[in-house]
Amino acid sequence: PQEIAVAPQAPARELPPAARWLVRMLDDLIRIPGTNFGIGLDPILGLIPFGPGDVASSAASTYLLFVALKEGVPLAIVVRMAFYLILDAALGSIPIAGDVFDLFFRANTRVAALIRKHAGQRRPATFGDYLFVAILFVVMAGCAAAPIVLLYYLLSQVWDSLKALWP
């Protein structure tokens, strides 16, 4: 039997301290005693009515995409990370159910694991890469803000309908 040569896999890189801190704050700030489970600020901020907490946590999460570019993560993996963060922003903005989703999905932890695994596997980031991430930031902010705008629109329609009932 012939042995198949397998290239050694590079060891996972460590995240920069600011990125580690951000992931811990958003996904794993308060540990539940006796378990390996923690609760971060992401689901807690999501409880703030009308969405400013979701917008803030989504904006903070975007920093991880810039770290990924700086660490040389391939753009295809950065797109996958962006998908996780956009999914987190969109579903996380749904009242209550989104907060439960945030609690278990842990998008920032997933993104951090991808950065550790794929860092240093491509050329240095270009201006176009950073522009791509900036556009993704706008998309993420839009996903997080959309429920706020929709709620405002619905409430204004209800208010206008109620005003029409009284002379």
Side-chain angles (χ1 to χ4, degrees):
Q2 288 183 341
E3 286 189 35
I4 298 173
V6 177
Q9 199 169 16
R13 283 192 178 176
E14 194 56 46
L15 287 175
R20 279 196 319 264
W21 178 84
L22 178 68
V23 170
R24 186 174 188 299
M25 289 294 120
L26 290 175
D27 285 352
D28 202 28
L29 179 62
I30 304 164
R31 304 293 283 168
I32 297 174
T35 71
N36 285 333
F37 194 76
I39 300 171
L41 288 176
D42 194 11
I44 294 170
L45 289 173
L47 294 172
I48 299 172
F50 308 113
D54 291 318
V55 173
S57 64
S58 293
S61 295
T62 305
Y63 168 72
L64 295 174
L65 297 178
F66 288 104
V67 169
L69 289 177
K70 185 176 181 236
E71 294 293 320
V73 173
L75 198 54
I77 303 299
V78 174
V79 170
R80 185 168 150 198
M81 294 173 185
F83 172 74
Y84 288 156
L85 296 178
I86 290 170
L87 183 67
D88 183 55
L91 296 180
S93 63
I94 299 169
I96 308 303
D99 301 316
V100 173
F101 173 78
D102 282 340
L103 191 62
F104 293 102
F105 185 65
R106 300 175 178 270
N108 301 294
T109 301
R110 291 171 187 259
V111 168
L114 287 172
I115 293 171
R116 284 188 203 101
K117 181 177 180 183
H118 296 284
Q121 294 183 357
R122 75 173 198 118
R123 61 172 170 64
T126 64
F127 173 78
D129 295 335
Y130 287 106
L131 181 62
F132 174 74
V133 171
I135 291 168
L136 287 175
F137 170 75
V138 171
V139 170
M140 286 175 53
C143 287
I148 299 167
V149 173
L150 180 62
L151 180 64
Y152 174 79
Y153 174 75
L154 291 173
L155 290 176
S156 68
Q157 293 299 311
V158 169
W159 180 255
D160 289 344
S161 297
L162 290 174
K163 282 186 354 185
L165 294 175
W166 289 283

